[in-house]
Amino acid sequence: MTVHQLRPRTAAESALIALAPSAPVAVHAQAALDALHREGLPNRRVEAWHYTDLRQLIARATSGAVEAGQADDVLAPLLAGSLVVELGAGTAPSGADRDGLSLAHTGDSADWRTSPNHLDRPVDTVRLLNAAFGATAVRVSVEAGTELPPIELRAQGTAAGAHGFAICDVAAGAKAVIVERLSANAGGAPFSTGVSNLDIGDGAEVLWIVDQTKSAGDTHLGQLNVRIGADARFKLFVLNAGGALVRYEVHSETVGEGADIAIRGVNLLRDKQHVDVTTTLVHSVAHTTATEVFRNVVTGGTGVFQGMIKVAPGAQKTDAKMACNSLLLSDEGEFLAKPELEIFADDVQCGHGATAGEINEDHLFYLMSRGIPETSARALLVKAFVAEVVEELEHDAAVEALEARIDAWLELSA
Amino acid sequence: MLEIKNLHARVAETGTEILRGIDLKVEAGEVAAIMGPNGSGKSTLSYILAGREDYEVTEGDILFNGESILEMDPAERAASGVFLAFQYPLEIPGVATMTFLKTAVNAQRKARGEAELTTPDFMRRVKTSAADLKIDMDMLKRPLNVGFSGGEKKRAEILQMALLQPTLCVMDETDSGLDIDALKIVSDGVNALRGPERAFLVITHYQRLLDHIVPDTVHVLYKGRIIRSGDKSLALTLENEGYAQIIGEAA
């Protein structure tokens, strides 16, 4: 007999567990499913999930009406000319093989037995769900020194929702643009998960774009784990422009000196949404840099930013800064920011700042005094607030595509 | 064109009265200068004309072409022909200057029931006006006023004025922060816009600007009222004698 006391399951938690495939194809998935039955979902007492109480909020995933989304295969990629790679549960990866790129289905599940975020439970929640729902890995390898057209990763929908697991290796000196497409869950359950492990070789450059436009009833739990080699550059852009309940985790580790991280993101929030971005940037070696800026537009709902910067002993000359700025356009919405620094080296520069404000009335008056009507002037200022971080991408096609997404969201909110 | 009648106004938040009964008429084609010591209400008057909400009009009226504009918001006033050249033009990161200019021009045209300008047509106008004001087109690729020097900001204000073609131009201390060369460029830009259909209200501390933009009338504002009006020679008198004499006479 075990001393371990099982908590009673919430109805929604049980419903979600019941949603998982009962006889998973992969061996690992069965173990994950057993663990899911045993562990359940984290609640607010688990620090990593304090602001996103999954046990309570998961009701959105099981009660949300399935909206008729557009099937993935007819969606145009975010960036024209992209190679689309389907992350299926148990299917061979599609997407043309070409010089410098190889795709393989490995059958592995995400390893949920350890968590990159020490504030989570002994099991990693996002990976556990991803594995239990049957996601198995597609390995995307970019050969050293190559530069390919953009790659767009999409998880195929099933009755149990869309669940993708990608292992991306970008070898030394290569340049890659990878879009993680998180479009509306079509057909199956309004629940999706995604795990990506990205390994960036020495001197390589990766621009990773998260394009999240889930439907108003969808739940998505995502995680990106990144290792960044010497003199390598990792640029990440996260756009959250949809979903009922969304959590996107980024866990990075610099493993070579000279590694540079630039994370930018825009969270657009409406009534009834809960959107959480949680990042853990671990600086393990000396001479690495990171900047992280999120801009949030809140017309309703709840936004969460948890940003952790960890500097390991000996990781001298780390220069890491993060900022989380929110524009609150309504009294109905809220944005919770929890920046944290954990520094075990004595010669570093680390900083964080969180701000929340409203539209600047002086700016509004200036625009209106030139004849721009109030609604248009406000829209211009909201757009300006987020455009600043989008434009830092220095990738014209990506800037244009993301601004189009943001414009579409703003028009719906006007 | 502009008729200000017994205008009283206060700061909305604190209730402090700033304007205490201004009466002023400016005809089409006229350049009227408003002078006065610090704190006399000059900038407040310009903001109230443009429709800033931080001030409350407690008495009196502002008629523009015979109609009260007090109930109009700043955008409506602008579309009807009122333009305020700011003393401190705002820097707005993230708003591209060209996007701003085109949005403003077309919003005004739309409000007046005119067709929007096509992009080539708009660009042609911008290029012509920018050249007149010695504004480098590269400067206009930056976000609105961001990183502009003081002189560049003032020239950008005149560029906006030239593109928007207002009928009443209120200029709030346009000369502040300008060196002699920039003052000449800005004044030439203003003088080029002078015409029988357009009136100017030029607010300034100093006579210097009025050497370049020669006014038809000069009004002295003190403690929220106009205490003396005259022709351009009044500005010269002020320059020589200071405000004390006139204030003493009015008291």
Side-chain angles (χ1 to χ4, degrees), chain A residues 224-355:
Chain A
L224 174 60
N225 304 291
V226 196
R227 283 162 56 86
I228 306 141
D231 299 317
R233 296 189 71 193
F234 169 53
K235 290 174 97 174
L236 168 65
F237 193 91
V238 180
L239 173 67
N240 276 312
L245 166 60
V246 175
R247 162 124 153 172
Y248 196 88
E249 298 180 359
V250 181
H251 305 295
S252 72
E253 185 182 6
T254 58
V255 295
E257 292 195 1
D260 178 60
I261 299 173
I263 299 175
R264 298 292 181 274
V266 169
N267 296 309
L268 305 173
L269 276 139
R270 257 195 264 283
D271 190 26
K272 299 193 180 80
Q273 278 188 286
H274 182 104
V275 175
D276 173 333
V277 174
T278 292
T279 69
T280 313
L281 313 186
V282 180
H283 293 264
S284 296
V285 298
H287 297 282
T288 63
T289 47
T291 59
E292 180 174 13
V293 182
F294 277 88
R295 291 276 165 99
N296 316 301
V297 176
V298 184
T299 64
T302 300
V304 177
F305 171 74
Q306 302 187 101
M308 161 73 89
I309 293 174
K310 295 175 87 165
V311 180
Q316 304 294 10
K317 303 291 178 190
T318 294
D319 186 336
K321 291 184 179 66
M322 63 181 155
C324 176
N325 313 119
S326 304
L327 190 57
L328 302 173
L329 298 177
S330 141
D331 294 338
E332 307 298 311
E334 61 176 354
F335 202 97
L336 310 167
K338 188 177 98 176
E340 289 177 284
L341 303 176
E342 217 178 81
I343 301 169
F344 294 105
D346 58 6
D347 185 13
V348 301
Q349 287 195 40
C350 291
H352 64 78
T355 63

Side-chain angles (χ1 to χ4, degrees), chain B:
Chain B
M1 171 171 281
L2 175 69
E3 191 176 359
I4 301 174
K5 290 164 125 175
N6 189 31
L7 188 69
H8 290 253
R10 63 186 183 195
V11 179
E13 202 169 299
T14 61
T16 312
E17 193 172 42
I18 309 277
L19 303 185
R20 299 182 174 93
I22 291 191
D23 286 290
L24 179 68
K25 259 187 174 177
V26 183
E27 303 296 342
E30 180 179 336
V31 174
I34 306 273
M35 300 184 73
N38 287 328
S40 57
K42 302 190 299 296
S43 286
T44 300
L45 176 61
S46 73
Y47 281 143
I48 288 172
L49 287 169
R52 195 170 174 120
E53 282 180 357
D54 303 1
Y55 302 96
E56 270 173 16
V57 171
T58 52
E59 210 181 323
D61 206 348
I62 302 171
L63 304 180
F64 182 52
N65 294 325
E67 285 179 38
S68 173
I69 59 170
L70 290 183
E71 294 303 314
M72 293 162 76
D73 76 16
E76 292 166 335
R77 294 184 196 198
S80 76
V82 177
F83 181 91
L84 168 62
F86 281 58
Q87 182 178 3
Y88 302 109
L90 279 294
E91 295 191 9
I92 309 189
V95 173
T97 304
M98 291 302 264
T99 309
F100 159 75
L101 292 173
K102 191 160 184 237
T103 307
V105 167
N106 281 334
Q108 291 206 14
R109 293 180 72 91
K110 199 173 159 200
R112 291 192 294 258
E114 298 163 16
E116 294 192 357
L117 285 184
T118 61
T119 301
D121 209 5
F122 167 75
M123 287 304 295
R124 207 171 307 121
R125 294 184 191 207
V126 174
K127 277 182 185 155
T128 310
S129 297
D132 291 344
L133 290 159
K134 301 195 167 47
I135 291 174
D136 189 352
M137 288 302 284
D138 278 346
M139 190 177 119
L140 302 181
K141 288 179 184 155
R142 285 189 251 159
L144 185 54
N145 290 327
V146 174
F148 289 18
S149 70
E152 285 173 334
K153 282 180 186 163
K154 295 298 172 77
R155 276 186 276 155
E157 292 288 286
I158 307 304
L159 172 69
Q160 292 175 30
M161 195 161 92
L163 290 171
L164 294 168
Q165 297 278 315
T167 48
L168 174 65
C169 306
V170 181
M171 311 193 58
D172 187 7
E173 305 212 12
T174 294
D175 50 336
S176 71
L178 290 185
D179 59 32
I180 309 275
D181 294 340
L183 185 64
K184 178 91 172 55
I185 294 167
V186 165
S187 306
D188 288 349
V190 172
N191 288 329
L193 289 168
R194 287 179 80 154
E197 303 301 320
R198 187 169 288 134
F200 287 81
L201 201 60
V202 179
I203 293 170
T204 183
H205 265 298
Y206 304 107
Q207 147 69 19
R208 186 179 69 162
L209 177 67
L210 305 179
D211 287 337
H212 298 277
I213 305 172
V214 180
D216 300 301
T217 54
V218 173
H219 308 272
V220 179
L221 188 63
Y222 179 67
K223 286 192 174 172
R225 301 188 61 178
I226 290 184
I227 56 168
R228 178 74 69 89
S229 297
D231 60 16
K232 64 183 177 186
S233 64
L234 177 57
L236 290 168
T237 312
L238 287 169
E239 183 77 3
N240 294 329
E241 299 174 6
Y243 291 111
Q245 176 76 16
I246 284 175
I247 289 167
E249 286 168 18

